[in-house]
Amino acid sequence: MRHRLASTAIGAAAIAAFLASPAFAETTLRALFMAQAAYSEADVRAMTEAFTKEHPDVKVELEFVPYEGLHDKTVLAQGSGGGYDVVLFDVIWPAEYASNDVLVDATDKITPEMKDGVLPGAWTTVQYDGKTYGMPWILDTKYLFYNKEILEKAGIKAPPKTWDELASQAATIKEKGLLEEPIVWSWSQAEAAVCDYTTILSAYGGSFLDADGKPAFQTGGGLEALQYMAGTMKDGITNPNSKEYLEEDVRKVFQNGDAAFALNWTYMYNLANDPKESKVAGKVGVVPAPGHEGTSEASAVNGSMGLGVTTTSQHKDEAWDYVTFMTSQKVQNEYARLSLPIWKSSYDDPAVTKGQEELVAAAKQSLAVMYPRPTTPRYQELSQALQLAIQSAILGMASPEEALTEAADNSGL
Amino acid sequence: MSSAWITTRAWLLMLPLLIVMIAVVGWPMVDTVRLSFTDTRLVGTSGEYVGLANYAKLLTGSAFLGALRNTAVFAVFSVAAEMTLGVLAALLLDQQFRGRSFVRALMILPWALPTVVNAMLWRLIYNPEYGALNSLLTQLGILSEYRSWLGEPGTALWAIVAADCWKNFPLVALIALAALQAVPRDIKAAAIVDGAGAFARFRFVMWPYLAGPLTIALVLRTIEAFKVFDIIWVMTRGGPVNSTRTLSILVYQEAFSFQRAGSGASLALIVTLIVTVFAAFYIALMRRSGSRA
Amino acid sequence: MERRSLAASILVYGAATVMSAIILAPILWLFLMSISSANDLSAQPLHWWPQTLDLSRYGTLVSLVSNSAGEAFLGSLRNSLFVSGLATLGAILVAVPAAWAVSRTPQVQWSLFAVIATYMLPPVSLAVPLYMGLAHFGLLNTITGLALVYLTILAPFATWLLKTGFDNIPREIESAAMIDGARLDQTMRHITLPLAKPIVATTALFAFLLAWDEFFYALLFTADQRAKTVTVAIADLAGGRVSDYGLIATGGILAALPPVLIGLVMQRAVISGLTTGGVKG
């Protein structure tokens, strides 16, 4: 018994040492990605493989975390002297990352071809205070998805163009007994809820902050947006479980045929149309998120993400090569099924648009009206205050007005 | 052997343990104390000394009180339920009946199930649309429509308490059962012959054997409950409307999401203090009961 | 002995049935989810028994194809095994002498309480300094580093359990051996440890399960297949892009299998160890 234990121990130690030993390549880059929405893990691995084929002296180690862990892992690594060379970052973080010196200022590395070739909306993703902190990679916004079959059964000719129209169409579907609660959203206490709120806020012409950087969402369009959200919940046209849903839950409900409308990111289009994954394949319609009469034609949140090089990286040049490769038009066109390219001319390239013409048509309209969430170094705190307000209002624990006023007081701005 | 040598020898034998603990716990602990008096951020500028400002701000803020309340509710109710159900289960398993060893083996299952798997399992069970609980309750006619167990502030924390209880009451049961089986048979029999009622038998025959092991179980479970993180992280991450945000989750948010390492450290120390007070109380109790035995 | 009345028998069997059902149902359901087709799992009301059997997820998660989800999942199981094994071994090695010392020398008992007090620290409170420390020594995302951190959870726990075990071994046996001229290490090896074998085994078992269970440190200190443990892999499955609940359930079954099997096979050790007095004089 004792001998067996000892030999096991030595074996375990030897294997542990083996696993801890560094790999042999001239340069090893470590990159942090997310395992959620947009490009799949397999896509990212394949793109990276193509990169290392072109750069045999560089090895790239990939790490995938759920979106919720992306920010925390990045700052934790940075706080302890680094770890990642390339990180994926959400549009809401450049302000915080810039003021804490997380990302390398890449303003000088942007060539004129890049500058002109990439959509202006995409650039806003990686810029803060006049500087550019990386390359946009995932150009994303929330679209309104609808189930063509259910709309047809309800006698609805065209998908809604305004939020009020969405509510009345949903009410029709409910009245006809086709679905109990026709709309599904991601309103769990998370960033996803803020994205939905931002979309509607932009439709109603609201704004987060006033000219002095003080909260302004508790009045005007910001207030109307939350009133709308709480209203659909109260009227029973929103799936009440939306309050605990994230994007993947929304997709699950929608592709199971249990929702007529869903607000979600680009990636849902091709997955919900995949018969292996979805019961509604072939019945998926997509349009820009609606507007508001007299204020807007369509609405969209800027939910894009960029790739940047960290200030602690020991291989900044190789890391930047990797970033430019991953964001290059060639690579993006090749993997355009789950995330659309950042490059203007791609949208007219048949290789990209084939089979997803509807999505591309919606994208052309949506990407032009993408509305930003506020750029402030203390975004995380503001976001949490907003998440709380949204949840209080949709759960009927506070009126939208009270909830948003409290959020404004607690936002730390 | 001189008593001085015996003491020295004891210290030498403890040395490896102490070295490991000082290196991997003691030092970070000291660093946490230092951080708690500064406004250090996780990334960027190194912090300034701010005295007790972090503590003052936390103790007066609503976030701390809310999290303290949630933690207390979770700890008190989950531990109380686990202890009660555990002892009841042990009393049952102490009876002679066919299939007893099978049922006893079953108790191992939840106990051995990893916490994260348990959390994930119950999250699936509580799923508002495709969850087993909703389906079962409506099919039995107990529920008229599906509910969002983890989406309602009124039920979320209780749903987590139930999930935690399911996993942990068997541990208490196994500990209590082991203690009960140490009660000599003739004493049990004698009590019955003497005509002692069921409660009297429990109080005077079994309790003296149960008290010690149950106190240990109570200490461990209470400490675990006050530190609770995993099950909540996987099931709700503190939502809805912060109704399941416990102290550990709040520390995580302060230190990592908001990057206020200093403030997070002071909060962590407050949590430690609360747990220590409880534990000291229990340990005192235990030593008293230990010296009696 | 005691003759139960019919009513009491009904009560005992009824209670035993209800309790078994409560314990078994969720686990059984986890297993059924793992073999039900996606359609069965998204029906309302649910199909309790799969109409179509789907075993494909086990194939998906147990696969040696490179760069596949299965390879990553198997890798996480292997990491959990090594981390838990290494940490358990370390914990037993430092805890046995310490526990014996405390058990036999009441003067140093306070230091055990100091060590146990660290068990009360919420892991979040140590995370930032620990992360920086591990990064400094290049131990982030390594099995060794994680095992070292786990040692701090397992060692106090193991010492505590072992001390109660040693307390139940009469000192007189040891003193008798010592008087006969045996050195301390000989006494330990020939007298104390053989008597303490059940409690050491139980302690190791408990420590292993505790390490297998750990999530928070693994979440922060590991990154990829080189050290990511199975609990993190499960949380990633549940939090990432998986809309098939069956796959999540399969991951849960696979992650639970090793500790559950160990617990069942070593049931005797668990239960006898819990009496902490398995050695009766």
Side-chain angles (χ1 to χ4, degrees):
Chain A
M1 175 71 194
R2 204 163 350 115
H3 290 292
R4 194 153 23 115
L5 207 68
S7 62
T8 312
I10 292 163
I15 292 164
F18 167 73
L19 288 164
S21 66
F24 299 103
E26 280 174 45
T27 309
T28 302
L29 296 176
R30 294 191 55 204
L32 182 67
F33 291 96
M34 68 168 179
Q36 214 160 323
Y39 299 115
S40 70
E41 206 174 306
D43 284 359
V44 178
R45 287 194 191 282
M47 294 175 191
T48 304
E49 218 161 279
F51 172 77
T52 44
K53 215 165 260 168
E54 281 185 23
H55 300 80
D57 53 332
V58 181
K59 186 172 182 270
V60 187
E61 285 172 1
L62 304 173
E63 178 181 351
F64 295 87
V65 294
Y67 171 81
E68 272 70 27
L70 199 53
H71 170 270
D72 301 351
K73 275 246 156 158
T74 304
V75 295
L76 194 58
Q78 200 70 9
S80 53
Y84 302 111
D85 299 283
V86 173
V87 291
L88 176 66
F89 59 91
D90 199 356
V91 58
I92 49 191
W93 301 330
E96 181 198 320
Y97 285 3
S99 54
N100 290 326
D101 201 25
V102 173
L103 294 173
V104 171
D105 177 1
T107 316
D108 307 338
K109 304 213 166 174
I110 309 298
T111 64
E113 295 81 54
M114 290 175 173
K115 200 160 212 149
D116 297 336
V118 172
L119 288 158
W123 279 122
T124 62
T125 309
V126 293
Q127 287 166 339
Y128 176 68
D129 216 12
K131 289 179 183 149
T132 304
Y133 290 94
M135 281 294 286
W137 187 47
I138 298 166
L139 181 58
D140 216 344
T141 188
K142 287 207 169 188
Y143 299 93
L144 183 71
F145 292 86
Y146 61 99
N147 185 316
K148 289 177 179 168
E149 190 180 50
I150 296 175
L151 261 62
E152 203 174 295
K153 276 190 197 153
I156 297 165
K157 299 250 158 19
K161 290 227 174 326
T162 66
W163 290 103
D164 291 333
E165 212 182 320
L166 170 66
S168 66
Q169 289 190 0
T172 310
I173 292 167
K174 188 181 167 80
E175 273 160 33
K176 297 206 167 160
L178 291 164
L179 278 174
E180 215 28 62
E181 296 104 4
I183 320 175
V184 64
W185 320 73
S186 46
W187 290 349
S188 126
Q189 189 178 339
E191 190 59 36
V194 179
C195 292
D196 286 10
Y197 172 70
T198 307
T199 310
I200 308 176
L201 173 144
S202 80
Y204 283 86
S207 52
F208 282 103
L209 306 176
D210 62 17
D212 304 324
K214 293 283 169 219
F217 50 78
Q218 70 277 31
T219 55
L223 178 59
E224 283 176 76
L226 190 55
Q227 279 166 342
Y228 178 83
M229 291 164 77
T232 64
M233 194 65 124
K234 216 168 99 196
D235 297 342
I237 51 172
T238 279
N239 186 324
N241 302 323
S242 298
K243 61 180 175 281
E244 62 165 289
Y245 280 169
L246 288 174
E247 288 88 341
E248 284 301 293
D249 305 298
V250 169
R251 174 162 80 93
K252 172 108 184 163
V253 170
F254 183 79
Q255 68 188 24
N256 201 38
D258 294 330
F261 299 103
L263 201 64
N264 210 344
W265 306 106
T266 312
Y267 82 103
M268 185 160 101
Y269 185 72
N270 280 303
L271 289 178
N273 264 328
D274 175 0
K276 267 187 286 182
E277 289 254 350
S278 165
K279 290 184 191 168
V280 299
K283 302 169 194 161
V284 180
V286 62
V287 285
H292 181 63
E293 218 178 320
T295 325
S296 55
E297 299 278 314
S299 57
V301 55
N302 186 353
S304 305
M305 300 180 88
L307 286 174
V309 177
T310 63
T311 49
T312 47
S313 170
Q314 302 293 318
H315 311 286
K316 295 196 176 70
D317 292 332
E318 290 88 345
W320 183 253
D321 285 346
Y322 178 61
V323 170
T324 47
F325 180 87
M326 296 294 277
T327 56
S328 67
Q329 187 160 19
K330 182 177 149 284
V331 171
Q332 288 216 309
N333 285 359
E334 200 176 329
Y335 296 93
R337 313 306 293 178
L338 296 173
S339 180
L340 292 170
I342 56 171
W343 303 88
K344 284 180 206 164
S345 57
S346 297
Y347 290 78
D348 298 314
D349 183 343
V352 171
T353 57
K354 192 167 180 293
Q356 48 184 358
E357 291 81 2
E358 232 182 305
L359 176 68
V360 172
K364 278 184 176 169
Q365 213 184 335
S366 286
L367 296 178
V369 295
M370 281 198 307
Y371 191 80
R373 282 162 281 168
T375 41
T376 153
R378 312 189 76 178
Y379 179 77
Q380 295 294 313
E381 278 144 285
L382 172 63
S383 167
Q384 211 193 34
L386 279 171
Q387 292 167 25
L388 212 55
I390 293 167
Q391 287 229 309
S392 311
I394 58 171
L395 283 158
M397 295 166 70
S399 74
E401 202 159 10
E402 289 163 3
L404 287 173
T405 310
E406 203 189 320
D409 293 342
N410 292 339
S411 62
L413 294 170
Chain B
M1 257 182 296
S2 75
S3 73
W5 161 240
I6 288 180
T7 316
T8 315
R9 190 182 67 183
W11 283 117
L12 284 176
L13 287 171
M14 288 199 74
L15 206 57
L17 174 69
L18 295 179
I19 290 174
V20 169
M21 294 309 289
I22 289 169
V24 196
V25 180
W27 167 76
M29 184 68 201
V30 171
D31 202 45
T32 301
V33 173
R34 182 189 64 78
L35 280 175
S36 78
F37 296 111
T38 69
D39 61 355
T40 307
R41 293 182 64 81
L42 195 55
V43 182
T45 53
S46 62
E48 300 276 316
Y49 176 77
V50 294
L52 292 168
N54 289 331
Y55 292 92
K57 207 169 159 195
L58 281 172
L59 291 174
T60 52
S62 61
F64 171 73
L65 289 178
L68 181 65
R69 193 196 69 91
N70 292 337
T71 312
V73 168
F74 176 83
V76 168
F77 285 93
S78 65
V79 174
E82 283 155 27
M83 299 304 286
T84 314
L85 286 175
V87 171
L88 287 176
L91 287 173
L92 174 69
L93 288 171
D94 194 38
Q95 307 293 316
Q96 305 287 336
F97 62 91
R98 232 174 286 163
R100 190 175 76 138
S101 52
F102 172 73
V103 180
R104 198 178 54 185
L106 282 187
M107 307 295 276
I108 307 261
L109 295 173
W111 172 73
L113 203 69
T115 307
V116 172
V117 175
N118 183 51
M120 177 218 84
L121 163 62
W122 285 92
R123 203 175 90 171
L124 292 176
I125 290 176
Y126 290 137
N127 185 292
E129 216 105 12
Y130 313 108
L133 186 66
N134 275 322
S135 195
L136 182 71
L137 292 182
T138 35
Q139 277 170 304
L140 292 175
I142 296 171
L143 210 64
S144 60
E145 57 179 12
Y146 279 25
R147 292 192 56 175
S148 174
W149 303 99
L150 294 174
E152 296 277 355
T155 53
L157 190 58
W158 298 109
I160 297 177
V161 166
D164 188 72
C165 186
W166 177 83
K167 171 167 165 49
N168 287 312
F169 93 87
L171 167 71
V172 179
L174 290 174
I175 291 172
L177 178 63
L180 284 180
Q181 296 194 329
V183 182
R185 283 193 174 195
D186 43 347
I187 298 187
K188 281 186 202 169
I192 293 165
V193 173
D194 289 348
F199 180 76
R201 261 185 291 162
F202 178 73
R203 174 66 189 86
F204 296 107
V205 178
M206 298 172 180
W207 185 249
Y209 285 84
L210 278 173
L214 279 187
T215 319
I216 297 179
L218 188 68
V219 176
L220 293 178
R221 289 304 315 141
T222 309
I223 294 173
E224 287 293 319
F226 259 90
K227 297 193 297 188
V228 63
F229 181 89
D230 304 358
I231 189 170
I232 291 179
W233 187 255
V234 175
M235 285 179 84
T236 59
R237 272 178 199 256
V241 209
N242 288 342
S243 62
T244 61
R245 184 167 73 177
T246 58
L247 290 168
S248 281
I249 300 273
L250 188 63
V251 178
Y252 183 91
Q253 280 180 357
E254 277 291 316
F256 301 118
S257 303
F258 300 161
Q259 297 195 45
R260 291 192 289 244
S263 163
S266 52
L267 184 59
L269 287 177
I270 295 175
V271 181
T272 308
L273 195 72
I274 296 172
V275 180
T276 312
V277 168
F278 270 97
F281 175 69
Y282 287 135
I283 287 172
L285 259 184
M286 208 162 23
R287 289 178 100 178
R288 224 182 52 194
S289 71
S291 62
R292 241 188 307 150
Chain C
M1 240 183 45
E2 182 188 359
R3 268 190 70 96
R4 262 199 307 253
S5 66
L6 181 67
S9 282
I10 291 176
L11 189 73
V12 166
Y13 279 96
T17 312
V18 169
M19 199 171 75
S20 308
I22 288 175
I23 290 180
L24 262 183
I27 296 173
L28 218 56
W29 179 234
L30 184 68
F31 176 69
L32 283 175
M33 276 193 284
S34 76
I35 57 166
S36 295
S37 71
N39 271 339
D40 289 322
L41 291 178
S42 51
Q44 279 180 342
L46 280 169
H47 298 153
W48 297 104
W49 199 255
Q51 296 183 334
T52 24
L53 212 60
D54 182 351
L55 297 171
S56 66
R57 288 113 170 186
Y58 285 92
T60 310
L61 287 186
V62 183
S63 149
L64 292 171
V65 179
S66 89
N67 250 337
S68 69
E71 194 202 22
F73 193 80
L74 279 186
S76 74
L77 278 172
R78 180 202 57 202
N79 290 338
S80 274
L81 193 69
F82 287 147
V83 170
S84 308
L86 210 58
T88 303
L89 189 74
I92 294 293
L93 285 181
V94 301
V96 165
W100 187 83
V102 172
S103 171
R104 297 302 183 243
T105 324
Q107 295 96 301
V108 299
Q109 209 170 49
W110 64 269
S111 67
L112 177 62
F113 288 123
V115 167
I116 286 169
T118 66
Y119 191 60
M120 293 151 205
L121 296 174
V124 234
S125 67
L126 304 175
V128 175
L130 269 183
Y131 193 102
M132 295 177 179
L134 289 176
H136 181 77
F137 291 107
L139 287 172
L140 275 180
N141 198 24
T142 64
I143 285 176
T144 328
L146 195 59
L148 187 67
V149 175
Y150 283 6
L151 197 53
T152 64
I153 309 174
L154 306 192
F157 180 78
T159 313
W160 168 295
L161 258 183
L162 286 171
K163 179 207 165 279
T164 48
F166 286 133
D167 284 347
N168 284 325
I169 297 172
R171 281 164 194 240
E172 291 72 29
I173 303 180
E174 288 172 7
S175 350
M178 301 275 230
I179 288 165
D180 288 346
R183 285 196 319 268
L184 176 63
D185 62 310
Q186 291 169 329
T187 316
M188 284 290 265
R189 219 173 18 204
H190 298 300
I191 310 282
T192 317
L193 285 182
L195 283 173
K197 220 166 163 187
I199 185 73
V200 174
T202 307
T203 305
L205 178 93
F206 279 44
F208 185 86
L209 295 187
L210 205 61
W212 188 277
D213 196 54
E214 209 285 336
F215 171 65
F216 179 73
Y217 286 135
L219 178 72
L220 291 178
F221 301 153
T222 70
D224 55 31
Q225 279 186 47
R226 276 168 300 172
K228 189 185 268 185
T229 64
V230 76
T231 48
V232 181
I234 291 285
D236 283 356
L237 265 187
R241 178 170 21 205
V242 174
S243 68
D244 176 14
Y245 297 146
L247 189 69
I248 301 176
T250 308
I253 290 277
L254 292 174
L257 220 48
V260 165
L261 284 182
I262 293 174
L264 284 179
V265 170
M266 300 188 64
Q267 204 189 131
R268 219 164 241 286
V270 173
I271 291 168
S272 82
L274 283 170
T275 68
T276 55
V279 202
K280 278 185 203 144

